[in-house]
């Protein structure tokens, strides 16, 4: 048997070294990973979504609401309350509920959900109740029952593995709404995802 070795030149440092097959495989694997990462970064820089993807997802939910007319809607992982704000203008909804693990973020953004001055001058014929709860999507909470629609927009990728295990049972089993909308970000367009 002849032991083969390969030379590897690293240009930035001007080094030339003798590498074994195993080391070369590791280097080749690293190059493939970096090439894939660069491809994703390049794709993310060249492809622009107008409007941004999260707004398109919110618009999709709003279209579903307009089509199916749910009266009670819950947004799990509501965070900055943007989707709830958008849905508060849908006339069919009587109750909007947001649930998020971060009470601080909800407190900071909940002002968006307050009635507008025009709501007092010309009250709507339909009642609208908006409630925010601090809690986990992995816990069965009776206050989260009875919804026609539940949304989880870019939530599940933030769950820990223990929470992710419980998520289907809580949402599909315990809550059991008529309609569930779940979305996740596209990894090729999100620099934070591997």
């Amino acid at each position: 048997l002849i032991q083969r070795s390969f030379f590897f030149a690293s240009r930035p440092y001007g080094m030339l070294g003798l590498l074994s097959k195993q080391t070369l495989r590791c280097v080749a694997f690293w190059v493939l990973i970096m090439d894939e990462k660069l491809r994703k970064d390049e794709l993310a820089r060249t492809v622009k979504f107008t409007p941004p993807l999260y707004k398109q997802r919110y618009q999709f939910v709003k279209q579903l609401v307009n089509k199916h007319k749910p009266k009670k809607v819950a947004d799990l992982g509501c965070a900055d309350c943007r989707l709830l704000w958008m849905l508060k203008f849908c006339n069919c909804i009587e109750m909007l509920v947001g649930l998020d693990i971060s009470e601080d973020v909800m407190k900071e953004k909940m002002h968006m959900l307050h009635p507008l001055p025009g709501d007092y001058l010309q009250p709507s014929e339909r009642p609208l109740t908006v409630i925010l709860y601090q809690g986990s999507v992995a816990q069965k909470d009776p206050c989260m029952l009875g919804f026609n629609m539940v949304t989880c927009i870019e939530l599940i990728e933030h769950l820990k593995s223990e929470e992710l295990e419980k998520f289907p049972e809580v949402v599909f089993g315990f809550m059991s709404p008529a309609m569930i909308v779940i979305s996740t970000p596209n990894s090729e367009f999100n620099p934070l995802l591997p």
Side-chain angles (χ1 to χ4, degrees), residues 6-19:
F6 301 90
F7 287 95
F8 176 73
S10 177
R11 290 189 183 165
Y13 304 103
M15 295 170 56
L16 189 62
L18 194 58
L19 301 177

Side-chain angles (χ1 to χ4, degrees), residues 16-27:
L16 189 62
L18 194 58
L19 301 177
S20 67
K21 282 184 181 180
Q22 184 177 2
T23 304
L24 187 62
R25 281 189 207 114
C26 289
V27 168

Side-chain angles (χ1 to χ4, degrees), residues 41-111:
D41 289 347
E42 191 173 290
L43 183 62
R45 281 192 299 273
T46 59
V47 177
K48 299 291 181 205
F49 292 95
T50 306
L53 281 177
Y54 80 92
K55 287 184 179 181
Q56 291 181 40
R57 291 179 174 118
Y58 289 174
Q59 191 60 40
F60 174 77
V61 170
K62 188 175 179 184
Q63 288 170 349
L64 283 176
V65 166
N66 289 332
K67 181 177 180 180
H68 297 283
K69 310 279 189 229
K71 292 191 183 310
K72 291 179 70 178
V73 177
D75 183 24
L76 307 183
C78 65
D80 63 8
C81 303
R82 284 188 212 175
L83 180 59
L84 293 173
W85 178 84
M86 182 183 256
L87 295 178
K88 86 175 195 169
F89 298 103
C90 295
N91 291 328
C92 61
I93 298 175
E94 296 175 1
M95 178 177 274
L96 273 175
V97 173
L99 175 75
D100 200 276
I101 199 76
S102 175
E103 185 177 6
D104 294 337
V105 173
M106 285 191 303
K107 278 184 178 179
E108 183 182 316
K109 299 294 184 174
M110 69 185 199
H111 69 278

